[in-house]
Amino acid sequence: MLDVMSLSYPFQTLLLGCCVTTPSRRYLSKTRRCLVQATPPSSVILNADGSGKFSEKLHVPNLDSGRGAPFVIQGSAVGIIGGVSVDATLKFLRKLVEFSSQDGVNSTPFVLCSDPLLSKELLSYERSYFVSSTSKAENLKLDSSPIVQTLRNKRVFLENSGTSCIVMPCNVSHSWYEQVSEGCSVPVFHMAECVAKELKEAKLKPLEAGSPLRIGVLATNATLAAGFYKEKLQNEGFDVVLPDRATMEHTVIPAIEALNRKDMEGACNLLRIALQVLLVRAANFIILASDDMRDLLPPDDPLIKKCIDPMDALARSTIKWVKSSGQNT
């Protein structure tokens, strides 16, 4: 029997517990109990058994406004705001669990807000920066204020629910990090800052003596346009290598197009070319800051050794903070 609790309603899904992946299957470990307050019904709590069926319905308030706390966590947890890709969010959850515990029993507890409408809005925003390799049209820039407000609502909800810190395992969401985190009473970790600090602490040696440490960043147009990876890396003293226009138009964008067509081989080959171009420009390592491209290369690909997954740094930094602050009880 899986003791798992989730809230499912038209605009938001919230999961309280831990998600673990093994080579053969995925499963959810025991969740940490929460105190549910008596409130007017507008959503449903569902308990899932081992067969995946749901039962024991319990109404809870609408969470989309971010107001109030429909439940209070007993013991602190990590608050997670989902982004463009549900798969990427689940990947972060697995990392959070696996990095904090070998068996998943004493892993870091979490509360996840995953909103399908927010995912759709983020995807539309990201695609507004996407220019086809055969198109000369200028990028359309969508109004991002609804996205910012939704992200803030999720942050306020998680903050009021008693989480000890908040993370956004989504690259493009960090385009509005300052607006989302402003006024928050708990730490909101910045994924690019976590990566930059880890690289600084690693005390890397440059490819050539006397030359600067150079870190490449490969991402979508929307993430690169936001500029936060470049800013955070430069703050730590790194030179930053970004793909030039030709690389974006002839390798990165076509790779995403191939991925959307389910042409995995073509997407992999194009991604390899894009990575090699950055490495030729003397980048020590490359931050692969794209949910679409992160899992394209097989684990045994030699280029993987030169790539950095920002989610690894975000998960490690989160766990480190929780443990150092004595929150994981």
Side-chain angles (χ1 to χ4, degrees):
M1 179 71 71
L2 291 177
D3 182 14
V4 71
M5 186 174 294
S6 68
L7 298 125
S8 182
Y9 53 98
F11 302 109
Q12 188 177 55
T13 299
L14 184 143
L15 175 68
L16 177 64
C18 298
C19 178
V20 181
T21 295
T22 64
S24 59
R25 63 191 179 98
R26 297 179 180 179
Y27 61 94
L28 292 175
S29 68
K30 278 193 173 183
T31 65
R32 221 173 243 215
R33 297 290 184 178
C34 66
L35 176 62
V36 180
Q37 300 173 348
T39 48
S42 62
S43 297
V44 180
I45 292 181
L46 301 174
N47 290 328
D49 58 23
S51 65
K53 296 180 179 180
F54 295 92
S55 61
E56 300 181 28
K57 295 182 180 180
L58 176 66
H59 292 287
V60 298
N62 192 308
L63 308 180
D64 193 55
S65 67
R67 299 175 182 174
F71 61 86
V72 178
I73 302 165
Q74 294 181 344
S76 297
V78 175
I80 305 168
I81 302 175
V84 174
S85 168
V86 174
D87 289 340
T89 303
L90 291 177
K91 179 181 178 180
F92 175 77
L93 288 177
R94 293 194 294 272
K95 290 178 181 292
L96 189 70
V97 172
E98 292 168 358
F99 291 177
S100 60
S101 174
Q102 294 298 318
D103 54 15
V105 176
N106 297 315
S107 56
T108 300
F110 61 82
V111 180
L112 166 64
C113 288
S114 182
D115 186 340
L117 290 184
L118 174 61
S119 298
K120 185 177 180 180
E121 290 176 344
L122 287 169
L123 182 60
S124 295
Y125 179 86
E126 195 166 49
R127 285 181 174 175
S128 74
Y129 277 86
F130 181 84
V131 180
S132 170
S133 58
T134 60
S135 173
K136 301 299 182 181
E138 293 295 326
N139 296 338
L140 298 174
K141 294 187 178 180
L142 300 181
D143 178 15
S144 62
S145 56
I147 297 176
V148 174
Q149 187 58 53
T150 302
L151 288 170
R152 280 187 62 86
N153 287 344
K154 302 297 182 282
R155 187 271 286 175
V156 171
F157 168 73
L158 291 170
E159 181 184 9
N160 290 344
S161 297
T163 54
S164 61
C165 61
I166 296 172
V167 298
M168 298 186 295
C170 171
N171 285 290
V172 73
S173 293
H174 287 75
S175 302
W176 311 281
Y177 172 85
E178 286 76 16
Q179 298 98 307
V180 175
S181 61
E182 183 181 5
C184 189
S185 61
V186 299
V188 182
F189 293 112
H190 195 299
M191 186 150 59
E193 187 172 315
C194 292
V195 177
K197 287 185 175 180
E198 275 203 354
L199 287 170
K200 184 70 172 181
E201 293 171 358
K203 297 181 179 180
L204 303 172
K205 295 182 179 180
L207 296 179
E208 297 181 4
S211 63
L213 280 164
R214 310 188 78 195
I215 304 298
V217 179
L218 195 62
T220 62
N221 282 330
T223 298
L224 292 176
F228 52 83
Y229 271 104
K230 182 177 181 180
E231 175 192 352
K232 299 299 182 182
L233 288 166
Q234 288 181 339
N235 287 346
E236 296 296 340
F238 295 105
D239 278 2
V240 181
V241 183
L242 302 177
D244 57 21
R245 185 181 181 87
T247 301
M248 293 297 295
E249 290 184 351
H250 298 298
T251 59
V252 178
I253 292 174
I256 296 175
E257 290 176 336
L259 181 61
N260 291 336
R261 296 194 306 268
K262 308 299 182 183
D263 177 9
M264 306 307 292
E265 182 178 357
C268 283
N269 290 336
L270 288 165
L271 175 59
R272 288 190 182 98
I273 294 172
L275 292 171
Q276 288 167 349
V277 168
L278 291 181
L279 291 172
V280 166
R281 294 171 60 191
N284 292 62
F285 290 96
I286 299 172
I287 298 172
L288 197 51
S290 168
D291 296 337
D292 292 317
M293 296 181 285
R294 186 178 293 116
D295 296 322
L296 273 177
L297 297 179
D300 59 347
D301 194 299
L303 286 173
I304 283 291
K305 296 179 180 180
K306 288 291 186 178
C307 292
I308 297 170
D309 187 343
M311 285 198 184
D312 288 347
L314 182 63
R316 283 191 291 262
S317 298
T318 302
I319 293 166
K320 182 179 179 180
W321 186 89
V322 169
K323 290 183 176 180
S324 65
S325 63
Q327 297 287 347
N328 195 15
T329 57

